[in-house]
Amino acid sequence: LFKDVLKLEPAASQALTTTMGIPWVIKPVYGLMSDNLPICGYRRRPYLLLFAVLACLSYFALAVPWLSPGALIATLLLLVTSLS
C-alpha cells in the first residue's frame, strides 16, 4: 500500500508502520478502561463491538478506490484498525 499506491520511500513507510503500532502499546489501558467503565452493564462486549465496527469502516475506506486517501489519512485509518 505505501510503496505502490502512496508512492512513499522506505524511510517514510517505516515511520508510518511504526506509528500504526502505537495502539498495541496502549492496549493495557483499554483493558483497564473496559474493566472499570462498563457500558450498559457489560464490560467488554460494547468495546469489542465498537472497535470492530470502526475497524470495518476503516478497512472499507481503504478499499474503496475512488477515495484514494493520502499517506496521513491511510496511516490514521490503519491506526484505527489496530485498535480492535
Side-chain angles (χ1 to χ4, degrees):
L1 174 71
F2 291 132
K3 179 183 172 193
D4 297 332
V5 177
L6 300 175
K7 312 271 191 271
L8 294 178
E9 296 180 7
S13 177
Q14 182 60 40
L16 296 178
T17 304
T18 303
T19 303
M20 291 182 314
I22 291 173
W24 286 98
V25 175
I26 56 176
K27 288 234 185 218
V29 175
Y30 295 141
L32 290 172
M33 186 175 72
S34 69
D35 286 342
N36 294 321
L37 298 171
I39 298 176
C40 296
Y42 294 103
R43 295 192 183 275
R44 290 176 187 88
R45 191 175 299 161
Y47 290 99
L48 289 172
L49 183 64
L50 172 69
F51 288 122
V53 168
L54 285 175
C56 287
L57 292 174
S58 296
Y59 278 129
F60 178 75
L62 286 170
V64 175
W66 50 268
L67 284 177
S68 65
L72 179 63
I73 299 299
T75 303
L76 291 176
L77 290 171
L78 290 171
L79 187 104
V80 169
T81 61
S82 297
L83 291 173
S84 63

Coordinates of all heavy atoms in Angstrom, one line a residue:
L1 N 0.8 -1.2 0.0 CA 0.0 0.0 0.0 C 0.9 1.3 0.0 O 0.6 2.1 -0.8 CB -0.9 0.0 1.2 CG -1.8 1.2 1.5 CD1 -2.8 1.3 0.4 CD2 -2.4 1.2 2.8
F2 N 1.9 1.3 0.9 CA 2.7 2.5 1.0 C 3.5 2.7 -0.2 O 3.7 3.8 -0.7 CB 3.5 2.5 2.2 CG 2.8 2.6 3.5 CD1 3.0 1.7 4.6 CD2 1.8 3.6 3.7 CE1 2.3 1.8 5.7 CE2 1.1 3.7 4.9 CZ 1.3 2.8 5.9
K3 N 4.1 1.7 -0.7 CA 5.1 1.8 -1.9 C 4.3 2.0 -3.2 O 4.7 2.9 -4.0 CB 6.0 0.6 -1.9 CG 6.9 0.6 -3.1 CD 7.7 -0.7 -3.1 CE 8.6 -0.7 -4.4 NZ 9.1 -2.0 -4.7
D4 N 3.3 1.1 -3.5 CA 2.7 1.1 -4.8 C 1.6 2.2 -4.9 O 1.6 2.9 -5.9 CB 2.1 -0.2 -5.1 CG 3.1 -1.3 -5.1 OD1 4.3 -1.0 -5.5 OD2 2.8 -2.5 -4.8
V5 N 0.8 2.3 -3.9 CA -0.3 3.3 -4.0 C 0.0 4.7 -3.6 O -0.2 5.6 -4.3 CB -1.5 2.8 -3.2 CG1 -2.7 3.8 -3.3 CG2 -2.0 1.4 -3.7
L6 N 0.7 4.8 -2.5 CA 1.0 6.1 -2.0 C 2.4 6.7 -2.4 O 2.7 7.8 -2.2 CB 1.0 6.1 -0.4 CG -0.4 5.7 0.2 CD1 -0.3 5.6 1.7 CD2 -1.4 6.8 -0.2
K7 N 3.2 5.8 -3.1 CA 4.5 6.2 -3.6 C 5.4 6.8 -2.5 O 6.1 7.8 -2.8 CB 4.3 7.2 -4.8 CG 3.3 6.8 -5.8 CD 3.9 6.0 -6.9 CE 2.9 5.9 -8.1 NZ 2.0 4.8 -8.0
L8 N 5.5 6.1 -1.4 CA 6.4 6.5 -0.3 C 7.7 5.9 -0.4 O 7.9 4.7 -0.9 CB 5.7 6.2 1.0 CG 4.5 7.0 1.4 CD1 3.9 6.5 2.7 CD2 4.7 8.5 1.4
E9 N 8.7 6.6 0.1 CA 10.1 6.0 0.2 C 10.1 5.0 1.4 O 9.2 5.1 2.3 CB 11.1 7.1 0.4 CG 11.2 8.0 -0.8 CD 12.2 9.1 -0.6 OE1 12.9 9.1 0.4 OE2 12.2 10.0 -1.4
P10 N 11.1 4.1 1.5 CA 11.2 3.2 2.5 C 11.2 3.8 3.9 O 10.6 3.3 4.9 CB 12.5 2.4 2.3 CG 12.6 2.5 0.8 CD 12.1 3.9 0.4
A11 N 11.9 4.9 4.1 CA 12.0 5.5 5.4 C 10.7 6.1 5.9 O 10.3 5.9 7.0 CB 13.0 6.7 5.4
A12 N 9.9 6.7 5.0 CA 8.6 7.2 5.3 C 7.6 6.0 5.6 O 6.8 6.1 6.5 CB 8.1 8.1 4.2
S13 N 7.8 5.0 4.8 CA 6.9 3.8 5.0 C 7.2 3.2 6.4 O 6.2 2.8 7.1 CB 7.2 2.8 3.9 OG 6.4 1.6 4.1
Q14 N 8.4 3.1 6.8 CA 8.7 2.5 8.1 C 8.2 3.4 9.2 O 7.7 2.9 10.2 CB 10.2 2.3 8.2 CG 10.7 1.7 9.5 CD 10.0 0.3 9.7 OE1 9.9 -0.5 8.8 NE2 9.6 0.0 10.9
A15 N 8.3 4.7 9.1 CA 7.8 5.6 10.1 C 6.3 5.5 10.3 O 5.8 5.5 11.4 CB 8.2 7.1 9.7
L16 N 5.6 5.3 9.2 CA 4.1 5.2 9.3 C 3.8 3.8 9.8 O 2.8 3.7 10.6 CB 3.5 5.4 7.9 CG 3.7 6.8 7.3 CD1 3.0 6.8 5.9 CD2 3.1 7.8 8.2
T17 N 4.5 2.8 9.5 CA 4.3 1.5 10.1 C 4.5 1.5 11.6 O 3.8 0.8 12.3 CB 5.2 0.4 9.4 OG1 4.9 0.5 8.0 CG2 4.9 -1.0 9.9
T18 N 5.6 2.2 12.0 CA 5.8 2.3 13.4 C 4.7 3.0 14.2 O 4.3 2.6 15.3 CB 7.2 3.0 13.7 OG1 8.2 2.3 13.0 CG2 7.5 3.1 15.1
T19 N 4.2 4.0 13.5 CA 3.1 4.8 14.1 C 1.8 3.9 14.3 O 1.1 4.1 15.3 CB 2.7 6.0 13.2 OG1 3.9 6.8 13.0 CG2 1.6 6.8 13.8
M20 N 1.6 3.0 13.3 CA 0.5 2.1 13.4 C 0.6 1.2 14.6 O -0.4 0.6 15.0 CB 0.3 1.4 12.1 CG -0.2 2.3 11.0 SD -0.5 1.4 9.5 CE 0.9 0.4 9.3
G21 N 1.8 1.0 15.1 CA 1.9 0.0 16.2 C 1.6 0.6 17.6 O 1.6 -0.1 18.6
I22 N 1.4 1.9 17.7 CA 1.1 2.6 18.9 C -0.1 2.0 19.7 O 0.0 1.8 20.9 CB 0.9 4.1 18.7 CG1 2.2 4.7 18.3 CG2 0.3 4.8 19.9 CD1 2.1 6.2 17.9
P23 N -1.2 1.6 19.0 CA -2.3 1.0 19.8 C -1.9 -0.3 20.6 O -2.5 -0.6 21.6 CB -3.4 0.7 18.7 CG -3.1 1.7 17.7 CD -1.6 1.9 17.6
W24 N -0.9 -1.0 20.1 CA -0.5 -2.2 20.8 C 0.1 -1.9 22.1 O 0.1 -2.7 23.0 CB 0.4 -3.1 19.9 CG -0.4 -3.7 18.8 CD1 -0.5 -3.3 17.5 CD2 -1.1 -4.9 19.0 NE1 -1.3 -4.2 16.9 CE2 -1.7 -5.2 17.7 CE3 -1.4 -5.8 20.0 CZ2 -2.5 -6.3 17.5 CZ3 -2.2 -6.9 19.8 CH2 -2.8 -7.1 18.6
V25 N 0.7 -0.7 22.2 CA 1.4 -0.3 23.4 C 0.4 0.1 24.5 O 0.6 -0.1 25.7 CB 2.4 0.9 23.1 CG1 3.0 1.4 24.4 CG2 3.4 0.4 22.2
I26 N -0.8 0.7 24.0 CA -1.7 1.2 25.0 C -2.9 0.2 25.2 O -3.9 0.6 25.8 CB -2.2 2.6 24.6 CG1 -2.8 2.6 23.2 CG2 -1.2 3.6 24.7 CD1 -3.4 3.9 22.8
K27 N -2.8 -1.0 24.7 CA -3.9 -2.0 24.9 C -4.2 -2.2 26.4 O -5.3 -2.4 26.8 CB -3.6 -3.3 24.2 CG -3.7 -3.1 22.7 CD -4.6 -4.1 22.1 CE -4.6 -4.0 20.6 NZ -5.9 -4.2 20.1
P28 N -3.2 -2.2 27.3 CA -3.5 -2.4 28.7 C -4.4 -1.3 29.2 O -5.2 -1.6 30.1 CB -2.1 -2.4 29.4 CG -1.2 -2.8 28.4 CD -1.7 -2.3 27.1
V29 N -4.3 -0.1 28.7 CA -5.2 1.0 29.1 C -6.6 0.7 28.7 O -7.5 0.9 29.4 CB -4.7 2.3 28.5 CG1 -5.7 3.4 28.8 CG2 -3.3 2.7 29.0
Y30 N -6.8 0.1 27.5 CA -8.1 -0.3 27.0 C -8.7 -1.4 28.0 O -9.9 -1.4 28.3 CB -8.1 -0.8 25.6 CG -7.7 0.2 24.6 CD1 -6.9 -0.2 23.5 CD2 -8.2 1.5 24.7 CE1 -6.6 0.8 22.5 CE2 -7.8 2.4 23.7 CZ -7.0 2.1 22.6 OH -6.7 3.0 21.7
G31 N -7.8 -2.3 28.4 CA -8.3 -3.3 29.3 C -8.7 -2.8 30.6 O -9.8 -3.1 31.1
L32 N -8.0 -1.8 31.2 CA -8.4 -1.2 32.4 C -9.7 -0.4 32.2 O -10.6 -0.4 33.1 CB -7.3 -0.3 33.0 CG -6.1 -1.0 33.5 CD1 -4.9 0.0 33.8 CD2 -6.4 -1.8 34.7
M33 N -9.8 0.3 31.1 CA -11.0 1.1 30.8 C -12.2 0.2 30.7 O -13.3 0.5 31.3 CB -10.7 1.9 29.6 CG -11.9 2.9 29.3 SD -11.5 3.9 27.8 CE -11.7 2.7 26.5
S34 N -12.1 -0.9 30.0 CA -13.2 -1.8 29.8 C -13.6 -2.4 31.1 O -14.8 -2.7 31.4 CB -13.0 -2.8 28.8 OG -12.0 -3.7 29.2
D35 N -12.7 -2.7 32.0 CA -13.0 -3.3 33.3 C -13.6 -2.3 34.3 O -14.5 -2.7 35.1 CB -11.7 -3.9 33.9 CG -11.2 -5.2 33.3 OD1 -12.1 -5.8 32.5 OD2 -10.1 -5.5 33.4
N36 N -13.2 -1.1 34.2 CA -13.7 -0.1 35.2 C -14.8 0.8 34.7 O -15.4 1.5 35.5 CB -12.5 0.8 35.7 CG -11.5 0.0 36.4 OD1 -11.8 -0.9 37.2 ND2 -10.2 0.2 36.2
L37 N -15.1 0.8 33.4 CA -16.1 1.7 32.9 C -17.1 0.8 32.1 O -17.1 0.9 30.8 CB -15.5 2.8 32.0 CG -14.6 3.8 32.8 CD1 -14.0 4.7 31.7 CD2 -15.4 4.6 33.8
P38 N -17.9 0.0 32.7 CA -18.8 -0.8 31.9 C -19.9 0.1 31.2 O -20.3 1.1 31.6 CB -19.5 -1.7 32.9 CG -19.3 -1.0 34.2 CD -18.1 -0.1 34.1
I39 N -20.3 -0.4 30.0 CA -21.3 0.3 29.2 C -22.6 -0.6 29.3 O -22.6 -1.7 28.8 CB -20.9 0.5 27.8 CG1 -19.6 1.4 27.7 CG2 -22.0 1.1 26.9 CD1 -19.0 1.5 26.3
C40 N -23.6 0.0 29.8 CA -24.9 -0.7 30.0 C -24.8 -2.1 30.7 O -25.4 -3.0 30.4 CB -25.6 -1.0 28.6 SG -26.0 0.6 27.8
G41 N -23.9 -2.1 31.7 CA -23.7 -3.3 32.5 C -22.7 -4.3 31.9 O -22.4 -5.3 32.5
Y42 N -22.3 -4.1 30.7 CA -21.3 -5.0 30.0 C -19.9 -4.4 30.1 O -19.7 -3.3 29.9 CB -21.7 -5.3 28.6 CG -23.1 -6.0 28.4 CD1 -24.2 -5.3 28.0 CD2 -23.1 -7.4 28.6 CE1 -25.4 -5.9 27.9 CE2 -24.4 -8.0 28.5 CZ -25.5 -7.3 28.1 OH -26.7 -7.9 28.0
R43 N -19.0 -5.3 30.3 CA -17.6 -4.8 30.4 C -16.9 -4.8 29.1 O -16.3 -3.8 28.8 CB -16.9 -5.6 31.5 CG -17.4 -5.5 32.8 CD -16.5 -6.1 33.9 NE -17.0 -6.0 35.2 CZ -17.0 -5.0 36.0 NH1 -16.3 -3.9 35.6 NH2 -17.5 -5.0 37.2
R44 N -16.9 -5.9 28.4 CA -16.0 -5.9 27.2 C -16.8 -5.9 25.9 O -16.3 -5.5 24.9 CB -15.1 -7.2 27.3 CG -14.1 -7.0 28.3 CD -13.2 -8.2 28.5 NE -12.3 -8.1 29.6 CZ -12.7 -8.5 30.9 NH1 -13.9 -8.9 31.1 NH2 -11.8 -8.3 31.9
R45 N -18.0 -6.5 25.9 CA -18.7 -6.6 24.6 C -18.9 -5.3 23.9 O -18.7 -5.3 22.7 CB -20.0 -7.3 24.9 CG -20.8 -7.7 23.7 CD -22.0 -8.5 24.0 NE -21.7 -9.7 24.8 CZ -22.5 -10.4 25.5 NH1 -23.8 -10.0 25.6 NH2 -22.1 -11.5 26.1
P46 N -19.4 -4.2 24.5 CA -19.6 -3.0 23.8 C -18.3 -2.4 23.2 O -18.3 -1.9 22.1 CB -20.2 -2.0 24.8 CG -20.7 -2.9 25.9 CD -19.9 -4.1 25.9
Y47 N -17.2 -2.5 23.9 CA -15.9 -2.1 23.4 C -15.5 -2.9 22.2 O -15.0 -2.3 21.2 CB -14.8 -2.1 24.5 CG -15.1 -1.1 25.6 CD1 -15.7 -1.4 26.8 CD2 -14.7 0.3 25.4 CE1 -15.9 -0.5 27.8 CE2 -15.0 1.2 26.4 CZ -15.6 0.8 27.6 OH -15.8 1.7 28.6
L48 N -15.6 -4.2 22.3 CA -15.2 -5.0 21.2 C -16.1 -4.7 20.0 O -15.6 -4.6 18.8 CB -15.4 -6.5 21.5 CG -14.4 -7.1 22.5 CD1 -14.8 -8.5 22.9 CD2 -13.0 -7.1 21.9
L49 N -17.4 -4.5 20.2 CA -18.3 -4.2 19.1 C -17.9 -2.8 18.5 O -17.8 -2.7 17.2 CB -19.7 -4.2 19.5 CG -20.8 -4.0 18.5 CD1 -20.7 -5.1 17.4 CD2 -22.1 -3.9 19.1
L50 N -17.7 -1.8 19.3 CA -17.4 -0.5 18.8 C -16.1 -0.5 18.0 O -16.1 0.0 16.9 CB -17.2 0.4 20.0 CG -16.7 1.8 19.7 CD1 -17.7 2.6 18.9 CD2 -16.3 2.6 21.0
F51 N -15.0 -1.1 18.5 CA -13.8 -1.1 17.8 C -13.8 -2.0 16.5 O -13.1 -1.7 15.6 CB -12.6 -1.5 18.7 CG -12.3 -0.4 19.7 CD1 -12.3 -0.6 21.1 CD2 -12.0 0.9 19.3 CE1 -12.0 0.4 22.0 CE2 -11.7 1.9 20.2 CZ -11.7 1.6 21.5
A52 N -14.6 -3.0 16.6 CA -14.8 -3.9 15.4 C -15.5 -3.1 14.3 O -15.1 -3.2 13.1 CB -15.5 -5.2 15.7
V53 N -16.5 -2.3 14.6 CA -17.2 -1.5 13.6 C -16.3 -0.5 13.1 O -16.2 -0.2 11.8 CB -18.5 -0.9 14.2 CG1 -19.1 0.2 13.3 CG2 -19.5 -2.0 14.5
L54 N -15.5 0.2 13.9 CA -14.5 1.2 13.5 C -13.5 0.6 12.5 O -13.1 1.2 11.5 CB -13.8 1.9 14.7 CG -14.7 2.9 15.5 CD1 -13.9 3.3 16.7 CD2 -15.1 4.0 14.6
A55 N -13.0 -0.6 12.9 CA -12.1 -1.3 12.0 C -12.7 -1.6 10.6 O -12.0 -1.4 9.6 CB -11.5 -2.5 12.7
C56 N -13.9 -2.1 10.6 CA -14.6 -2.4 9.4 C -14.7 -1.2 8.5 O -14.5 -1.2 7.3 CB -15.9 -3.1 9.6 SG -15.8 -4.8 10.2
L57 N -15.1 -0.1 9.1 CA -15.3 1.2 8.4 C -13.9 1.7 7.8 O -13.9 2.2 6.7 CB -15.9 2.2 9.2 CG -17.4 2.0 9.6 CD1 -17.9 3.0 10.6 CD2 -18.3 2.0 8.4
S58 N -12.9 1.5 8.6 CA -11.6 1.9 8.2 C -11.1 1.1 7.0 O -10.5 1.6 6.0 CB -10.6 1.9 9.3 OG -10.9 2.7 10.3
Y59 N -11.3 -0.2 7.1 CA -10.9 -1.1 6.0 C -11.7 -0.8 4.7 O -11.2 -0.8 3.6 CB -11.0 -2.6 6.4 CG -9.9 -3.1 7.2 CD1 -10.1 -3.8 8.4 CD2 -8.6 -3.0 6.8 CE1 -9.1 -4.3 9.1 CE2 -7.5 -3.5 7.5 CZ -7.8 -4.2 8.7 OH -6.8 -4.7 9.4
F60 N -13.0 -0.5 4.9 CA -13.8 -0.2 3.8 C -13.3 1.1 3.1 O -13.2 1.2 1.9 CB -15.3 0.0 4.2 CG -16.2 0.4 3.1 CD1 -16.6 -0.5 2.1 CD2 -16.6 1.7 3.0 CE1 -17.4 -0.1 1.1 CE2 -17.4 2.1 2.0 CZ -17.8 1.2 1.0
A61 N -12.9 2.1 3.9 CA -12.4 3.4 3.4 C -11.1 3.2 2.6 O -10.8 3.9 1.7 CB -12.2 4.4 4.5
L62 N -10.3 2.2 3.1 CA -9.1 1.9 2.4 C -9.3 1.2 1.1 O -8.5 1.3 0.2 CB -8.1 1.1 3.3 CG -7.4 1.9 4.4 CD1 -6.8 1.0 5.4 CD2 -6.5 2.9 3.9
A63 N -10.4 0.4 1.1 CA -10.6 -0.5 -0.1 C -11.3 0.2 -1.2 O -11.2 -0.2 -2.4 CB -11.5 -1.7 0.4
V64 N -12.0 1.3 -0.9 CA -12.8 2.0 -2.0 C -11.8 2.8 -2.8 O -11.1 3.7 -2.3 CB -13.8 2.9 -1.4 CG1 -14.5 3.7 -2.4 CG2 -14.8 2.1 -0.6
P65 N -11.7 2.5 -4.1 CA -10.7 3.1 -5.0 C -10.9 4.6 -5.2 O -9.9 5.3 -5.3 CB -10.7 2.3 -6.3 CG -11.9 1.5 -6.2 CD -12.4 1.5 -4.8
W66 N -12.1 5.1 -5.2 CA -12.3 6.5 -5.5 C -12.0 7.4 -4.3 O -11.9 8.6 -4.5 CB -13.7 6.7 -6.1 CG -14.8 6.1 -5.3 CD1 -15.4 4.9 -5.5 CD2 -15.5 6.7 -4.2 NE1 -16.4 4.7 -4.5 CE2 -16.5 5.8 -3.7 CE3 -15.4 7.9 -3.5 CZ2 -17.3 6.1 -2.7 CZ3 -16.3 8.2 -2.4 CH2 -17.2 7.3 -2.0
L67 N -11.9 6.8 -3.1 CA -11.5 7.7 -2.0 C -10.0 8.0 -2.0 O -9.6 9.1 -1.8 CB -11.8 6.9 -0.7 CG -13.3 6.9 -0.3 CD1 -13.4 6.1 1.0 CD2 -13.8 8.3 -0.1
S68 N -9.2 7.0 -2.4 CA -7.7 7.2 -2.5 C -7.1 8.1 -1.5 O -6.8 9.2 -1.8 CB -7.3 7.6 -3.9 OG -7.8 8.9 -4.2
P69 N -7.0 7.7 -0.2 CA -6.5 8.5 0.8 C -5.1 8.8 0.7 O -4.3 8.1 0.1 CB -6.8 7.7 2.1 CG -6.8 6.3 1.7 CD -7.3 6.3 0.3
G70 N -4.6 10.0 1.2 CA -3.2 10.3 1.2 C -2.5 9.5 2.3 O -3.1 8.7 3.0
A71 N -1.2 9.7 2.4 CA -0.4 9.0 3.4 C -0.9 9.2 4.8 O -1.0 8.2 5.6 CB 1.1 9.4 3.2
L72 N -1.2 10.4 5.2 CA -1.6 10.6 6.6 C -2.9 10.0 6.9 O -3.1 9.3 7.9 CB -1.7 12.1 6.8 CG -2.1 12.5 8.2 CD1 -1.1 12.0 9.3 CD2 -2.3 14.0 8.3
I73 N -3.9 10.1 6.0 CA -5.2 9.5 6.2 C -5.1 8.0 6.2 O -5.8 7.4 7.0 CB -6.2 10.0 5.1 CG1 -6.4 11.5 5.1 CG2 -7.6 9.3 5.2 CD1 -6.9 12.1 6.4
A74 N -4.3 7.5 5.3 CA -4.2 6.0 5.3 C -3.5 5.5 6.6 O -3.9 4.5 7.1 CB -3.3 5.6 4.1
T75 N -2.6 6.2 7.1 CA -2.0 5.9 8.4 C -3.0 5.9 9.5 O -3.0 5.0 10.3 CB -0.8 6.8 8.7 OG1 0.1 6.7 7.6 CG2 -0.1 6.4 10.0
L76 N -3.8 7.0 9.5 CA -4.8 7.1 10.6 C -5.8 6.0 10.5 O -6.3 5.4 11.5 CB -5.5 8.5 10.5 CG -4.6 9.6 10.9 CD1 -5.3 10.9 10.7 CD2 -4.1 9.5 12.3
L77 N -6.2 5.6 9.3 CA -7.2 4.5 9.1 C -6.6 3.2 9.5 O -7.2 2.4 10.2 CB -7.6 4.5 7.6 CG -8.5 5.6 7.1 CD1 -8.7 5.5 5.6 CD2 -9.9 5.6 7.9
L78 N -5.3 3.0 9.2 CA -4.7 1.7 9.7 C -4.4 1.7 11.2 O -4.5 0.7 11.8 CB -3.4 1.5 8.9 CG -3.5 1.2 7.4 CD1 -2.2 1.2 6.7 CD2 -4.2 -0.2 7.3
L79 N -4.2 2.9 11.7 CA -4.1 3.0 13.2 C -5.4 2.7 13.9 O -5.4 2.0 14.9 CB -3.7 4.5 13.5 CG -3.4 4.7 15.0 CD1 -1.9 4.8 15.1 CD2 -4.0 6.0 15.5
V80 N -6.5 3.1 13.3 CA -7.8 2.7 13.8 C -8.1 1.2 13.7 O -8.6 0.6 14.7 CB -9.0 3.5 13.1 CG1 -10.3 3.0 13.5 CG2 -8.9 5.0 13.5
T81 N -7.6 0.6 12.7 CA -7.8 -0.8 12.5 C -7.0 -1.6 13.6 O -7.4 -2.7 14.0 CB -7.4 -1.3 11.2 OG1 -6.1 -1.1 10.9 CG2 -8.3 -0.7 10.1
S82 N -5.9 -1.0 14.0 CA -5.1 -1.6 15.1 C -5.7 -1.6 16.4 O -5.3 -2.2 17.4 CB -3.7 -1.0 15.1 OG -3.0 -1.2 13.9
L83 N -6.7 -0.7 16.6 CA -7.3 -0.6 17.9 C -8.2 -1.8 18.3 O -8.4 -2.0 19.5 CB -8.2 0.7 17.9 CG -7.5 2.0 17.9 CD1 -8.5 3.2 17.8 CD2 -6.7 2.2 19.1
S84 N -8.7 -2.5 17.3 CA -9.6 -3.6 17.6 C -8.8 -4.8 17.9 O -7.6 -5.0 17.8 CB -10.5 -3.8 16.5 OG -9.8 -4.2 15.3

